[in-house]
Amino acid sequence: MPKVKDKEDRSFLLARADFGSTYLYAGTFHLGLEGDSENQAQQIKDELYNNGYSDKKLIIGGDLNDKEGSSDTYNKMLWNVFPMADTGPGGVCTNNCWPDAPGKPRKIDFWFKRGLANRRRKE
């Protein structure tokens, strides 16, 4: 995904794994800093929806470079275009990963899912 305000391009990868008669789409992302994460989250959700993945068994995980719970980037991943569930990990690494960013702690690791059972959420 191209940078807008950040210093480097970022990435999103999606693959399909087949297990006999079932499947799972698994994706990974690394979003930018300096406000790019919000735009890139929207790009991911738009691409998933426009290519028919919004009604598939899907889990994507990665680095939002933003806050858990209330940030625009986080809410775009959860709600924009189609809903997903935040499956954790809850609160892991929220403040300790970015000690050089006082007042702007970022949680880097997130898992979002769609079309899968709701067991073991946010642990």
Side-chain angles (χ1 to χ4, degrees):
M1 294 176 292
K3 64 184 175 291
V4 176
K5 301 174 188 173
D6 198 5
K7 296 177 182 153
E8 59 190 16
D9 293 338
R10 298 301 175 125
S11 59
F12 175 65
L13 173 69
L14 185 68
R16 178 180 166 136
D18 289 286
F19 306 98
S21 63
T22 192
Y23 68 91
L24 172 68
Y25 286 96
T28 184
F29 57 84
H30 185 195
L31 304 187
L33 299 168
E34 308 299 327
D36 280 358
S37 61
E38 185 179 339
N39 296 328
Q40 292 164 342
Q42 185 64 54
Q43 286 178 324
I44 289 171
K45 293 295 289 276
D46 287 343
E47 287 298 318
L48 290 170
Y49 180 79
N50 292 337
N51 289 288
Y53 296 106
S54 62
D55 63 347
K56 305 292 185 191
K57 295 177 185 173
L58 171 68
I59 187 165
I60 58 175
D63 183 347
L64 283 184
N65 272 318
D66 214 336
K67 296 178 186 174
E68 177 180 11
S70 63
S71 73
D72 289 337
T73 304
Y74 177 84
N75 285 319
K76 283 188 180 207
M77 292 303 289
L78 277 181
W79 303 113
N80 273 21
V81 186
F82 61 93
M84 296 186 80
D86 176 1
T87 59
V92 173
C93 213
T94 299
N95 294 311
N96 297 330
C97 289
W98 293 92
D100 59 335
K104 292 188 78 180
R106 297 178 179 101
K107 177 182 167 187
I108 61 169
D109 301 312
F110 289 86
W111 287 102
F112 297 96
K113 69 178 181 176
R114 171 95 176 156
L116 301 167
N118 279 338
R119 285 186 241 138
R120 304 203 68 185
R121 297 176 53 179
K122 304 268 299 179
E123 293 178 10

